[in-house]
Amino acid sequence: MPYKIAIVGSGRGSNAHALLKAESNGTLGEAEIVGILSDREDSGILKHARDFEKAARYERYSRKTGDAAYLGILDSWAPDLVVLAGFMRIVGNGLLERWEGKLINLHPSLLPSFKGLDAIGQAWTYGVKVSGCTVHWVNADLDGGCVIDQSTVLITEDDSRDSFEAKIHVAEHRLLVDVVRRLSVGEIQYKPS
Ligand code: GAR
């Protein structure tokens, strides 16, 4: 039985692309990507979905009115796991309740440091020498659910803001693919916070 995953995102979709590539290379374990949903019609993430011939849906999101539409679309794909990969919205209660234990998020810092928007910029401005990325279960607290795994990135004297960001993205692509693969083969179980 494939382990079906849906991806939700807002932006360029490099992490979704890493998952799509891993699936097509046979390195995503039992995972099968069944659809990609975005709140941005012109997003790169939807282009990647179409390039890989996956179901691609655009839907405006608002916590008050958008949750129902998102619930309907995700339910129609019947995924085992929903992956938030660059979804720049605060998830509403409908999604949280329906997908508890099956909803993970990728964040570009070593949580609990630098929660919220522009985590990479926050870490750079703070001047940390070690940062990284986190995949965690989603709960009602912003970037607050139980950590599944993290990957570290060192900031050296030679780094610029851009090179630091590029390192974070490389680490994210590896981490997210690895976590989804491990979930798909039952190596990771849900841990409520
Ligand atoms: C990633 O860096 C991800 O960690 C971040 O958005 C970027 C999406 O990149 N997510 C958040 O900041 C969520 N709080 P992508 O669209 O290229 O995958």
Side-chain angles (χ1 to χ4, degrees), residues 11-16 85-88 105-108 116 120 143 169 172:
R12 68 186 179 135
S14 67
N15 286 283
F87 187 52
M88 304 312 279
N105 180 50
L106 171 69
H107 187 75
I120 296 174
D143 300 322
H169 291 313
E172 287 189 315

Side-chain angles (χ1 to χ4, degrees), residues 15 45 59 93 144 167:
N15 286 283
I45 197 169
E59 185 69 47
N93 284 336
K167 283 183 182 176

Side-chain angles (χ1 to χ4, degrees), residues 34-83:
V34 292
I36 297 186
L37 173 57
S38 179
D39 61 324
R40 290 269 312 275
E41 199 168 12
D42 57 350
S43 56
I45 197 169
L46 289 182
K47 185 180 175 309
H48 292 315
R50 291 185 202 103
D51 288 347
F52 281 78
E53 297 180 348
K54 297 290 183 182
R57 283 289 303 270
Y58 155 70
E59 185 69 47
R60 274 167 58 100
Y61 186 82
S62 97
R63 268 192 286 169
K64 285 191 188 131
T65 58
D67 242 20
Y70 272 57
L71 284 170
I73 293 166
L74 291 172
D75 272 334
S76 75
W77 291 337
D80 298 293
L81 180 77
V82 177
V83 179

